[in-house]
Amino acid sequence: MNGNSSTEMPEIVEHAVEFVECTPMASLQVAMAARTCYRSEKPMKISEADDFVKMLIHKGHESPLEFAHITLRITTSRDITHELVRHRLASYAQESTRYVRYKQGVQKVRPVEIKEYLDDGTPNPAYIVWLDGCRAAEKAYIELLRITHRPELARTVLPGSTRTTIMMQMNMREFRHFLRLRMAPAAHPDMRYVASLCHAEAVQHGLGIFLEDLQLPQ
């Protein structure tokens, strides 16, 4: 529907999350931190450390989880990053609309609940209105950029659906808190979807041990 060829930048993109890195041997690191409190120095195997982390979580003793972290690279809309950065016990690095010039066009992230087509295969009126609004804002942005040559002024008309990339690093205690809040049924649909992608990346890269007892919605 966007009319771009396969070699051009796509106009519409979806939310995406990419795993960057995490604390090496994270469960051992957390176990070491927790056992320091009791002056326990007996060497542990990874499997023993995993069980130890489970025990900490089951007892509600989560402060040692702060000694392990996860770093993710998130592609989402600027609306969603406004919600994301409210989690203040984290580090962020975000693409800057003050310095980046979108001279070739502004990519948009489709809201998860605004499908391009309805269930019966007909065009979704909501999608058409959303895309028309984004394109009008994009046209104004490009014109302002042409007139002022200053992205910091042109960006004032960018829509909330503008694509952005943000790096996020959280310790595992805060990551649990983030998932608990943002995967809840009451969370914003797009934020809930992004959080579910973050959860999936953590599990895929061996950090599922830290997500015990979250009681997340299926």
Side-chain angles (χ1 to χ4, degrees):
M1 186 168 182
N2 58 40
N4 289 340
S5 71
S6 59
T7 59
E8 293 179 327
M9 178 182 70
E11 181 182 10
I12 311 298
V13 298
E14 306 291 328
H15 302 282
V17 175
E18 173 190 356
F19 177 86
V20 177
E21 59 89 38
C22 67
T23 302
M25 296 186 291
S27 60
L28 279 174
Q29 183 89 337
V30 168
M32 182 187 300
R35 295 171 76 211
T36 297
C37 301
Y38 309 104
R39 204 171 177 179
S40 175
E41 299 176 355
K42 180 182 176 181
M44 265 190 174
K45 298 178 182 178
I46 289 288
S47 59
E48 293 174 321
D50 288 348
D51 290 338
F52 193 85
V53 169
K54 287 183 181 180
M55 180 271 293
L56 292 173
I57 292 172
H58 292 164
K59 289 189 173 183
H61 183 34
E62 295 192 7
S63 59
L65 305 187
E66 296 173 12
F67 285 86
H69 70 262
I70 183 172
T71 305
L72 299 167
R73 188 172 187 266
I74 302 170
T75 298
T76 188
S77 66
R78 296 198 69 87
D79 271 347
I80 295 307
T81 60
H82 293 335
E83 294 198 16
L84 187 62
V85 297
R86 290 176 185 169
H87 294 270
R88 292 158 56 190
L89 298 181
S91 297
Y92 302 99
Q94 185 174 3
E95 178 181 323
S96 173
T97 53
R98 185 180 181 191
Y99 299 109
V100 176
R101 297 170 180 262
Y102 303 114
K103 295 184 292 185
Q104 305 304 316
V106 178
Q107 286 186 296
K108 303 97 177 162
V109 178
R110 180 185 63 80
V112 295
E113 293 195 344
I114 301 182
K115 306 292 186 182
E116 185 172 359
Y117 296 99
L118 300 175
D119 292 341
D120 62 5
T122 60
N124 184 357
Y127 180 86
I128 294 171
V129 171
W130 168 77
L131 186 55
D132 285 348
C134 288
R135 285 174 171 171
E138 176 183 10
K139 182 178 179 181
Y141 169 84
I142 293 173
E143 184 64 10
L144 271 174
L145 192 60
R146 183 189 67 80
I147 295 170
T148 67
H149 305 289
R150 294 174 63 185
E152 63 186 359
L153 295 181
R155 72 175 180 177
T156 57
V157 297
L158 286 175
S161 292
T162 300
R163 174 198 179 278
T164 188
T165 302
I166 187 168
M167 289 271 286
M168 177 184 78
Q169 184 178 96
M170 283 183 173
N171 69 58
M172 295 309 297
R173 186 184 192 183
E174 176 64 11
F175 190 60
R176 284 172 56 84
H177 176 66
F178 162 72
L179 294 178
R180 190 181 292 115
L181 291 182
R182 299 304 186 172
M183 289 183 69
H188 187 286
D190 288 75
M191 185 75 257
R192 190 165 64 242
Y193 180 66
V194 168
S196 72
L197 295 178
C198 293
H199 178 273
E201 287 295 308
V203 171
Q204 182 180 340
H205 288 85
L207 295 174
I209 190 71
F210 292 97
L211 308 179
E212 292 276 311
D213 293 353
L214 278 182
Q215 298 180 348
L216 299 172
Q218 299 300 316

